């Protein structure tokens, strides 16, 4: 049976319109990213192709494209709806929103508050948002530069056993073990604590063990998920464009559509 | 709290059942030809072993399969602990008497069930090979000559000897592994961490 493209689009349209409404009411405007971008190793995802002269990417990750454009001069609050492809042409529909040239921690707070408002408006109440810090991990990795790749691999698959076998100081292993297993409301990282406190929602947790992200993120990252769905509803974090402080989050529309079905 | 587990049908199942019982999870195999069963607070799924990571990535809480399959399928799952069974190795194999190092295999045809692992292995060495993806009985490809070498799992080595083949290079050691869905790691945090602790004690 052929996929009912009209019913699928109707579902997606309902969800996107609700999300757009919240974002517009909160001062965001829609950005229309191009489908094709000149290839750069800084661009993430997208399907690589060539016209015989140059290489391009079809539908790359929008945040990495924004960073590559490097055009931000003043504060912007934008959102976009875009299909993102990977190298095997697997497609994900995303709605992302970003605060460019924002204020430290205020931008993160607003991004998370918007996520809560969007999901509430979609009548999705059973969700959680985890926050973590890339910098905390980088500090540890900088102490063991020889084993950086091994530790990143261990973090990615969440396997502390891979680190136990490495020839590194026991104190550092203990530090890594604590990061791996930390999940709670209050950590020893002030900026995460103050973010959680400022938002004051019992669905926000600090989870330092989950940091599989794009490499453009600088410090605080988030993951949005629901207990009854095995996929992330969205994820994002803080980065820099043109040396300006920026923060954003992208919802996976395919997962949200599945949840609303 | 219900926990769903994807278990490997096939030769790993017996050891998996015995091991899970040791950590307090009693497995019930499905009646007749069903592929699902339930016992206590667990629901068990019995997909093909190659598909276990796909189930875990898409919402099943836990899974058990070989580390070779995780590396081949490249699904987004956590692999927090190796398990003390299903030990074997993945090797590069040639017909007996034709021993040659992998560095000299430029242009070779390599038959395998594991095209991703094979590709990564030769790419790392800077050697270009042609990969023939097969779904089983890979030894035959080397024996009848449609491939110059094969990449496959070696357990006792009996199948290789029976087919006049020999290993030239061990690509990696393999064991059974526990898989955890990324969201389960958050939403069932205490259960998952307790299970991993129990497993590590037994290991």
């Amino acid at each position: 049976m052929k996929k009912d493209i009209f019913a699928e689009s109707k579902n997606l349209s309902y969800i996107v319109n609700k999300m757009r409404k919240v974002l517009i009411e909160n001062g965001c405007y829609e950005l229309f990213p191009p489908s094709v971008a000149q290839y750069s190793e800084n661009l993430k995802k997208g399907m690589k192709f060539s016209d015989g002269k140059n290489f391009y990417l079809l539908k790359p990750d929008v945040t990495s494209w924004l960073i590559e454009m490097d055009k931000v001069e003043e504060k912007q609050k934008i959102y976009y709806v875009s299909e993102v492809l990977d190298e095997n042409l697997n497609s994900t529909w995303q709605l992302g929103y970003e605060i460019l040239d924002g204020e430290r921690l205020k931008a993160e707070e607003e991004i998370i508050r918007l996520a809560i408002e969007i999901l509430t408006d979609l009548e999705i109440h059973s969700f959680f948002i985890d926050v973590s810090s890339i910098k905390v991990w980088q500090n540890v990795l900088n102490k063991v530069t020889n084993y950086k790749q091994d530790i990143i691999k261990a973090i990615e698959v969440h396997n502390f056993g891979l680190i136990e076998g490495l020839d590194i100081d026991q104190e550092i292993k203990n530090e890594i073990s604590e990061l791996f297993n930390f999940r709670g409301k209050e950590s020893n990282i002030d900026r995460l604590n103050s973010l959680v406190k400022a938002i004051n929602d019992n669905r926000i947790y600090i989870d330092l063990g989950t940091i599989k992200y794009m490499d453009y993120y600088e410090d605080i990252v988030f993951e949005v998920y629901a207990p009854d769905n095995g996929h992330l509803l969205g994820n994002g974090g803080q980065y820099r464009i043109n040396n300006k402080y920026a923060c954003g989050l992208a919802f996976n529309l395919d997962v949200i559509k599945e949840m609303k079905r | 709290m219900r926990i769903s587990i994807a278990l490997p049908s096939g030769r790993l199942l017996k050891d998996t059942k015995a091991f899970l019982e040791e950590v307090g999870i009693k497995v019930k195999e499905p009646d007749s030809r069903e592929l699902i069963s339930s016992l206590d607070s667990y629901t068990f799924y019995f997909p093909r072993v190659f598909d276990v990571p796909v189930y875990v990535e898409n919402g099943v809480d836990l899974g058990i399969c070989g580390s070779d399959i995780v590396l081949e399928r490249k699904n987004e799952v956590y692999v927090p602990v190796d398990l003390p069974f299903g030990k074997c190795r993945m090797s590069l194999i040639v017909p007996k008497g034709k021993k040659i190092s992998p560095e000299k295999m430029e242009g070779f045809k390599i038959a395998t069930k594991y095209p991703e692992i094979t590709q990564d292995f030769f790419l790392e060495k800077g050697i270009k090979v042609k990969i023939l993806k097969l779904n089983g009985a890979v030894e035959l490809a080397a024996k009848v000559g449609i491939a110059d070498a094969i990449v496959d799992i070696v357990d006792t080595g009996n199948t290789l000897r029976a087919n006049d083949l020999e290993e030239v290079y061990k690509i990696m050691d393999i064991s059974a592994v526990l898989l955890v869905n990324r969201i389960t790691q958050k939403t069932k945090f205490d259960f998952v961490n307790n299970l991993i602790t129990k497993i590590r004690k037994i290991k």
Side-chain angles (χ1 to χ4, degrees), chain A residues 130 156-159 161 164 181 183 210 212 223 225-227 229-232, chain B residues 57-59 76-82 181-183 185-187 189 193 200:
Chain A
D130 283 1
E156 275 183 4
V157 295
H158 221 78
N159 188 334
E164 273 182 335
N181 295 311
R183 184 178 163 75
T210 52
K212 190 177 168 62
E223 285 191 339
Y225 59 96
N229 194 296
H231 293 281
L232 288 179
Chain B
E57 184 183 38
N58 286 281
E76 288 233 354
V77 293
Y78 285 147
V79 190
V81 65
D82 291 358
N181 174 276
R182 294 191 73 223
I183 306 300
Q185 176 65 43
K186 295 167 179 295
T187 54
F189 186 77
N193 283 4
R200 286 163 74 99

Side-chain angles (χ1 to χ4, degrees), chain B residues 33-89:
Chain B
R33 294 174 70 88
E34 284 176 21
L35 300 169
I36 303 175
S37 69
S38 290
L39 188 64
D40 305 324
S41 53
Y42 299 100
T43 303
F44 302 102
Y45 301 113
F46 297 85
R48 285 185 57 189
V49 64
F50 244 79
D51 296 331
V52 168
V54 181
Y55 280 83
V56 177
E57 184 183 38
N58 286 281
V60 171
D61 292 316
L62 308 174
I64 289 176
C65 67
S67 53
D68 52 321
I69 292 165
V70 180
L71 290 168
E72 180 63 26
R73 303 285 311 227
K74 297 183 173 167
N75 295 89
E76 288 233 354
V77 293
Y78 285 147
V79 190
V81 65
D82 291 358
L83 303 174
F85 59 92
K87 305 271 183 200
C88 52
R89 59 192 180 274

Side-chain angles (χ1 to χ4, degrees), chain B:
Chain B
M1 182 178 59
R2 281 211 78 76
I3 300 286
S4 54
I5 311 181
L7 298 175
S9 48
R11 63 180 183 168
L12 265 185
L13 184 59
K14 195 177 152 205
D15 287 343
T16 299
K17 273 179 71 179
F19 182 76
L20 285 178
E21 284 202 17
E22 262 190 272
V23 293
I25 300 173
K26 201 165 168 11
V27 178
K28 184 186 169 206
E29 285 195 59
D31 301 325
S32 65
R33 294 174 70 88
E34 284 176 21
L35 300 169
I36 303 175
S37 69
S38 290
L39 188 64
D40 305 324
S41 53
Y42 299 100
T43 303
F44 302 102
Y45 301 113
F46 297 85
R48 285 185 57 189
V49 64
F50 244 79
D51 296 331
V52 168
V54 181
Y55 280 83
V56 177
E57 184 183 38
N58 286 281
V60 171
D61 292 316
L62 308 174
I64 289 176
C65 67
S67 53
D68 52 321
I69 292 165
V70 180
L71 290 168
E72 180 63 26
R73 303 285 311 227
K74 297 183 173 167
N75 295 89
E76 288 233 354
V77 293
Y78 285 147
V79 190
V81 65
D82 291 358
L83 303 174
F85 59 92
K87 305 271 183 200
C88 52
R89 59 192 180 274
M90 183 174 290
S91 293
L92 183 58
I93 297 154
V94 294
K96 211 167 189 175
K98 293 192 173 174
K99 218 164 179 173
I100 178 171
S101 75
E103 285 77 11
K104 291 180 180 161
M105 288 190 176
E106 182 80 31
F108 269 41
K109 279 194 274 185
I110 315 285
T112 184
K113 265 166 75 180
Y114 302 92
E116 291 290 326
I117 294 174
T118 305
Q119 187 76 267
D120 291 347
F121 170 74
F122 280 104
L123 266 181
E124 203 170 284
K125 293 192 173 295
I127 306 293
K128 260 193 183 167
V129 294
K130 185 176 179 192
I131 294 170
L132 307 179
K133 162 84 169 86
L134 298 177
N135 291 318
V138 180
E139 301 83 5
L140 188 62
K143 204 166 178 188
V144 300
I146 67 162
D148 303 299
I150 63 173
V151 167
D152 205 11
I153 301 291
V154 182
D155 188 357
T156 59
N158 287 341
T159 312
L160 296 190
R161 281 186 287 277
N163 287 288
D164 281 331
L165 300 170
E166 62 180 324
E167 287 174 86
V168 285
Y169 193 92
K170 183 175 85 174
I171 296 175
M172 65 179 74
D173 285 313
I174 286 165
S175 83
V177 289
L178 176 75
L179 313 184
V180 179
N181 174 276
R182 294 191 73 223
I183 306 300
T184 299
Q185 176 65 43
K186 295 167 179 295
T187 54
K188 295 167 184 171
F189 186 77
D190 289 334
F191 171 84
V192 172
N193 283 4
N194 288 339
L195 178 65
I196 292 167
T197 307
K198 271 188 206 168
I199 290 172
R200 286 163 74 99
K201 275 184 187 155
I202 289 175
K203 277 177 77 188

Side-chain angles (χ1 to χ4, degrees), chain A residues 21 26 54 66 70-71 78 96 99 114 125 132-134 136 142-143 158 176 180 201 209 214 218 237 241-242:
Chain A
K21 187 171 163 277
N26 281 278
N54 297 302
L66 274 169
D70 206 19
K71 297 284 188 206
I78 54 141
I99 297 173
L114 281 170
H125 301 289
S132 182
S133 160
I134 300 260
V136 170
N142 289 341
K143 293 180 195 169
H158 221 78
I176 293 172
F180 247 95
D201 187 300
M214 301 292 189
E218 188 178 58
I241 298 186
N242 201 11

